[in-house]
Amino acid sequence: MKTPPATSLLFIAIQLASCDTLAPTAAGLAAVSAAPPAVSAPDAVVPALAPLRGIEREIADHIARYDSGLAPHEVEELARVLVAEANHHALDPMLVVAVMHVESRFNTFAVSPVGAMGLMQVMPGTGEEIARRLAIPWTGPQMLFDPIVNVRIGTEYLKHLAMRYKSIPTALAAYNWGPGHIDRRIRKGSQLPQEYPRLVSEVYDSNRFPPSS
């Protein structure tokens, strides 16, 4: 595969030895369709949480600009979990945001033509496998419409691919095309898909928020 320009953070290798991962499949954006969101009970009580700060606040404000299908408090909880999961897996939170943007435009109920579901467009089979790994009780594919479950599974899967291929661009290609397809290309010495990593890189570069005051 031809090496992309080194100026983009997307194409910096993962530093596996220190567990520090730097953030920054070939297909365009998949068409998505929205499923009806679940209706919360009108008398549901939303627990009081500490105000968002820093990157969590920036991410929540960014997601709120889109038709996510989530209530404001759900967007804030999503931002908290996204940052926590990215940090846990030594990924840049903005890489996860960029993947989410390209995959679903932050539509919680997005479904692709091939059946990928939710914010990070996780396939049900992959979701079930990773849910077991994370000890998340699996009750069926509809769980992938839960934004917290989806981001936990999607982030775990992205880190798994990054560790497997030791390359963020290759991991992104595998996230989009599937690791089986990428493995076959690697064995044949074929060029790997570059369009999806490019799309994620462009979103990543454009969404670098200024530091919060």
Side-chain angles (χ1 to χ4, degrees), residues 151-196:
V151 76
R152 288 188 64 197
I153 289 175
T155 304
E156 165 74 19
Y157 185 48
L158 181 60
K159 181 54 183 264
H160 167 76
L161 294 172
M163 296 291 288
R164 174 172 175 167
Y165 294 107
K166 299 178 175 59
S167 162
I168 289 292
T170 306
L172 290 172
Y175 192 96
N176 181 243
W177 282 84
H181 179 87
I182 297 304
D183 288 346
R184 287 191 293 273
R185 287 203 176 201
I186 291 174
R187 286 195 298 268
K188 293 178 180 178
S190 303
Q191 183 176 18
L192 299 184
Q194 298 184 21
E195 179 66 9
Y196 184 85

Side-chain angles (χ1 to χ4, degrees), residues 6-158:
T7 54
S8 172
L9 288 178
L10 173 61
F11 301 105
I12 301 177
I14 304 172
Q15 301 177 35
L16 294 175
S18 63
C19 295
D20 293 329
T21 304
L22 298 178
T25 283
L29 301 180
V32 296
S33 59
V39 178
S40 301
D43 56 350
V45 177
V46 178
L49 298 172
L52 297 184
R53 298 183 184 279
I55 191 65
E56 292 178 346
R57 180 75 270 162
E58 300 285 356
I59 289 173
D61 290 345
H62 182 75
I63 295 174
R65 293 162 45 194
Y66 294 81
D67 184 12
S68 67
L70 300 176
H73 73 275
E74 292 174 316
V75 171
E76 292 193 355
E77 180 62 12
L78 172 61
R80 285 189 179 91
V81 172
L82 189 156
V83 172
E85 291 297 309
N87 290 340
H88 174 71
H89 292 295
L91 294 170
D92 187 332
M94 294 311 301
L95 174 60
V96 180
V97 170
V99 169
M100 198 176 291
H101 175 99
V102 172
E103 289 290 342
S104 69
R105 294 296 194 274
F106 307 105
N107 179 356
T108 306
F109 304 101
V111 180
S112 81
V114 297
M117 301 170 68
L119 289 166
M120 296 187 72
Q121 290 291 274
V122 178
M123 292 295 290
T126 300
E128 183 175 6
E129 177 185 347
I130 296 177
R132 287 198 302 268
R133 187 186 309 167
L134 296 175
I136 298 173
W138 182 258
T139 59
Q142 74 281 354
M143 290 184 64
L144 296 172
F145 289 137
D146 181 321
I148 303 306
V149 171
N150 193 282
V151 76
R152 288 188 64 197
I153 289 175
T155 304
E156 165 74 19
Y157 185 48
L158 181 60

